[in-house]
Amino acid sequence: AIYTDADGAAQVIDANTGNGMFGLDANTGKMLWSLPVFDMRCCSTPLIVGDIAIGSSGSGGGGNHLVAVRIPKTAGEKPTQLYRLENKDAAPYVPTPALKDGRLFMIGDKGIAACVDAQTGDILWKERIGGNFGASPIVVGDKLLLISLDGEATILRASDKFEEIGRVDLGGPVGATPAYSQGRLLLRVGDELRCLARQS
């Protein structure tokens, strides 16, 4: 993820087990800061919400945790951990949360979905969807799309209150995150790439 500070300087924000959450100078590659908040593998892509970097870590056997870190504003300032969510809070390992209007919409690898205030870490809702997940959720308009490894698509309302809109069996396994652009949804189902047009 790219973060631009108040002076217009760009940082590449990333996460790994050795360094935790860290920022690199986008021009030189020099490490500007790091905070060792992870002790397991990092698969997801960090998210930036204002001056907060959010990443996750975990393993197939559990122990997942999602951490929010305040990005330092000056060279002498230290990064600080703002909050940490654990397995019981639906913290993901592989899927990257979707971000909309200051909310993190998450799906844990074991099928628990949650909506979290990205600034505070407060859980607004948490519900078991079922299934196992590798693909990241996406937001299209006011809808949240979750697709399990077995290919069951669950559509929720992307809002502060839990609302399930529907479910669709895609008829094959899905491990890749779908993409949406210009009214079309691209899905990899099994060995097929499908393009679905949005209905008017």
Side-chain angles (χ1 to χ4, degrees):
I2 301 295
Y3 168 74
T4 304
D5 65 23
D7 296 327
Q11 293 183 29
V12 177
I13 306 297
D14 211 341
N16 64 33
T17 306
N19 302 107
M21 195 82 72
F22 60 93
L24 305 174
D25 185 302
N27 292 317
T28 67
K30 176 185 174 185
M31 185 169 288
L32 301 173
W33 60 270
S34 67
L35 190 63
V37 290
F38 300 126
D39 56 9
M40 293 183 175
R41 289 181 58 196
C42 297
C43 291
S44 66
T45 301
L47 300 171
I48 306 296
V49 182
D51 63 349
I52 300 172
I54 300 170
S56 64
S57 174
S59 75
N64 303 348
H65 45 282
L66 179 138
V67 178
V69 172
R70 178 87 63 197
I71 299 170
K73 293 182 177 57
T74 63
E77 187 180 350
K78 301 289 185 190
T80 55
Q81 178 178 301
L82 299 177
Y83 59 84
R84 174 181 292 259
L85 302 177
E86 305 289 345
N87 252 15
K88 62 183 176 56
D89 305 313
Y93 164 41
V94 176
T96 298
L99 181 64
K100 177 180 168 55
D101 299 333
R103 303 295 190 242
L104 297 174
F105 292 96
M106 310 190 310
I107 184 69
D109 303 61
K110 303 294 185 187
I112 297 177
C115 173
V116 173
D117 185 316
Q119 295 286 334
T120 66
D122 293 337
I123 299 171
L124 303 178
W125 56 258
K126 180 176 70 172
E127 297 286 340
R128 179 169 291 283
I129 301 300
N132 295 304
F133 288 77
S136 300
I138 66 167
V139 174
V140 179
D142 67 343
K143 295 176 181 65
L144 177 68
L145 174 62
L146 311 166
I147 306 177
S148 72
L149 291 172
D150 290 336
E152 182 173 66
T154 301
I155 302 99
L156 306 178
R157 187 80 59 199
S159 73
D160 289 357
K161 295 195 175 185
F162 177 80
E163 179 188 348
E164 183 173 319
I165 297 170
R167 295 189 184 220
V168 177
D169 184 352
L170 297 174
V174 175
T177 300
Y180 179 81
S181 179
Q182 299 178 357
R184 287 175 168 78
L185 182 68
L186 289 172
L187 299 163
R188 181 176 175 179
V189 181
D191 58 1
E192 297 178 353
L193 181 63
R194 301 180 186 175
C195 179
L196 306 179
R198 186 173 185 174
Q199 293 181 342
S200 56

